[in-house]
Amino acid sequence: MPTIKDVAARAKVSFKTVSRVLNGEPHVRPELIRRVRVAVIELGYRPTEAARMLARRKSIVIAAPILPVQATFISRMLISLTKECRRNRHYLLTEVFDSRDDLLDWTAQMPVEPHAVILFAPFEDDMAVIEKLEQQNIPVVRISQSKPGYGISVPVSDFAITMELMQHLLDLGHRRIGLIAPPLPAGATEERVQAYKTALAQANIPLDDALMIRGDFVFEVGEAAARTLLQLDAPPTAIFATSDDMALGVLAVAHELGIKVPDHLAIAGFDGNQEAGKVFPALTTIHFPIEDIARVAVEAAIKGHAVELDFKHHLIVRGSTVSPDLNWPRDREAVQNGYLGFQRQSPSNRRPAVRV
């Protein structure tokens, strides 16, 4: 199907001129109007609703740049942002970039001038990107920012709820708790790391760097991290992954190695994905209010200023941390001594891999 850019090329006018003609705006020379109309007829151009919105100078185009990471969190955020934009009769422009440098190039040569740009992990604290947008006077909404600077903040605090999860694991008797952390120390996701460290300190448990691995929010990273953690001389009795996708990877490895969950290994995630409740045992996780956050972010982008926040996390305790028969306390002493309670199996008697 021909696009508005095809019309501009055929009529030998600018994209903005075509936009003005299609929207019946005044002060366009008759000759240019004629050329655009001829091009439209010759190409059989039929503007879609999205194209009409892009063509209207008064319309709001909200951009949300992302990296090509197959994380459920990103998918849920984009779906929620799209729904909110549509509900407000605005258009969401999503761009995928292979690298931060590609994003920097895009900010300097955007195909359309967005009314606002919404940034979330991992770009919410990327000051080089933010400064380029500020230079172009484009409003920016930053979800869960941790660094001060240009842009409207949508603060998301993960510290308190992560402390609640850590206390849950500590109350079960765990003293060696592994952490699969976010890839970069930035934004609200890093509060999960700080809460992990704080909870251990308050319980007088020394921090063991070997128990913390940086991940990338995806299933395969959770698998790799679990293998590393479970091969330690003193492996963890519980693993907290800072995304459900990574936690599901840990659960898959536990099944493969024949490790009983939660009797010999407790597993917890973060995000509240639907998949977390569909596996066995169901995954203990933290509900992350993505839909509410997207609503607030879009509203801030439209209004041009911060809006009232009314969303909260909550802990969801399921079978991956608490046995249904409640027999865990009988092994409390062994757990406190860091004993996992299982023998690593040789390839000949290892259970087949289970993908969950």
Side-chain angles (χ1 to χ4, degrees):
M1 294 291 292
T3 67
I4 193 170
K5 289 187 176 181
D6 296 326
V7 174
R10 175 67 67 91
K12 296 182 179 180
V13 298
S14 69
F15 171 88
K16 288 185 177 180
T17 298
V18 176
S19 172
R20 293 173 64 191
V21 172
L22 292 178
N23 286 284
E25 295 185 15
H27 312 302
V28 182
R29 287 189 288 133
E31 172 58 20
L32 297 183
I33 295 175
R34 185 192 66 80
R35 283 157 52 183
V36 169
R37 288 176 175 173
V38 169
V40 167
I41 293 172
E42 290 178 348
L43 294 172
Y45 174 69
R46 294 291 184 274
T48 62
E49 179 59 26
R52 289 190 186 97
M53 295 177 74
L54 282 170
R56 295 189 196 110
R57 298 178 71 184
K58 63 180 180 180
S59 71
I60 292 180
V61 179
I62 297 173
I66 60 171
L67 289 173
V69 177
Q70 301 300 316
T72 305
F73 161 78
I74 292 178
S75 300
R76 287 179 61 199
M77 181 63 78
L78 288 178
I79 290 172
S80 298
L81 289 172
T82 301
K83 288 181 177 179
E84 283 302 315
C85 285
R86 184 183 300 120
R87 189 173 67 83
N88 287 280
R89 302 184 64 82
H90 301 309
Y91 179 77
L92 180 70
L93 172 66
T94 304
E95 292 282 356
V96 180
F97 301 97
D98 292 325
S99 69
R100 173 177 174 272
D101 291 338
D102 290 342
L103 173 56
L104 287 170
D105 292 340
W106 175 81
T107 57
Q109 303 179 29
M110 286 182 278
V112 296
E113 183 177 336
H115 180 81
V117 173
I118 296 177
L119 298 177
F120 55 93
F123 297 125
E124 75 276 20
D125 284 331
D126 193 319
M127 301 315 294
V129 172
I130 293 168
E131 286 172 5
K132 273 188 171 290
L133 294 169
E134 182 180 11
Q135 290 169 3
Q136 300 178 67
N137 201 32
I138 296 175
V140 175
V141 176
R142 298 165 60 188
I143 296 176
S144 71
Q145 73 176 76
S146 63
K147 296 180 181 179
Y150 180 72
I152 303 168
S153 176
V154 179
V156 180
S157 177
D158 291 349
F159 185 87
I161 191 64
T162 303
M163 286 288 290
E164 185 176 338
L165 172 61
M166 286 295 295
Q167 191 60 51
H168 167 67
L169 296 175
L170 291 167
D171 288 344
L172 290 172
H174 295 285
R175 292 301 179 266
R176 288 190 61 76
I177 302 174
L179 175 71
I180 308 179
L184 298 173
T189 54
E190 191 62 16
E191 291 187 8
R192 304 170 196 179
V193 178
Q194 296 305 318
Y196 167 83
K197 294 179 179 179
T198 301
L200 293 180
Q202 290 181 355
N204 296 316
I205 300 174
L207 182 65
D208 186 346
D209 290 337
L211 290 175
M212 190 176 86
I213 298 176
R214 290 281 176 183
D216 201 15
F217 295 132
V218 295
F219 180 92
E220 293 76 12
V221 170
E223 285 185 303
R227 295 184 192 283
T228 298
L229 290 170
L230 295 175
Q231 288 174 1
L232 294 173
D233 292 336
T237 62
I239 296 177
F240 166 41
T242 53
S243 82
D244 283 345
D245 286 348
M246 293 193 295
L248 291 172
V250 176
L251 183 60
V253 171
H255 284 312
E256 177 184 339
L257 298 178
I259 301 172
K260 293 183 66 176
V261 178
D263 299 69
H264 301 145
L265 178 68
I267 303 171
F270 196 113
D271 285 340
N273 295 348
Q274 289 186 354
E275 292 79 3
K278 297 178 180 178
V279 295
F280 181 82
L283 190 66
T284 290
T285 185
I286 292 173
H287 171 69
F288 190 71
I290 290 180
E291 293 77 10
D292 293 333
I293 292 169
R295 174 182 53 77
V296 169
V298 170
E299 187 176 349
I302 294 172
K303 293 183 176 180
H305 59 77
V307 299
E308 183 178 355
L309 310 178
D310 59 356
F311 48 80
K312 295 181 180 179
H313 306 67
H314 61 267
L315 177 63
I316 304 172
V317 176
R318 297 191 180 115
S320 68
T321 59
V322 179
S323 291
D325 58 9
L326 301 179
N327 285 331
W328 183 274
R330 70 185 181 186
D331 297 324
R332 184 181 299 275
E333 183 177 353
V335 171
Q336 290 175 339
N337 291 331
Y339 175 62
L340 224 93
F342 74 91
Q343 299 293 324
R344 291 190 179 86
Q345 298 174 320
S346 63
S348 60
N349 64 357
R350 182 179 295 167
R351 295 184 184 181
V354 178
R355 298 297 179 188
V356 294

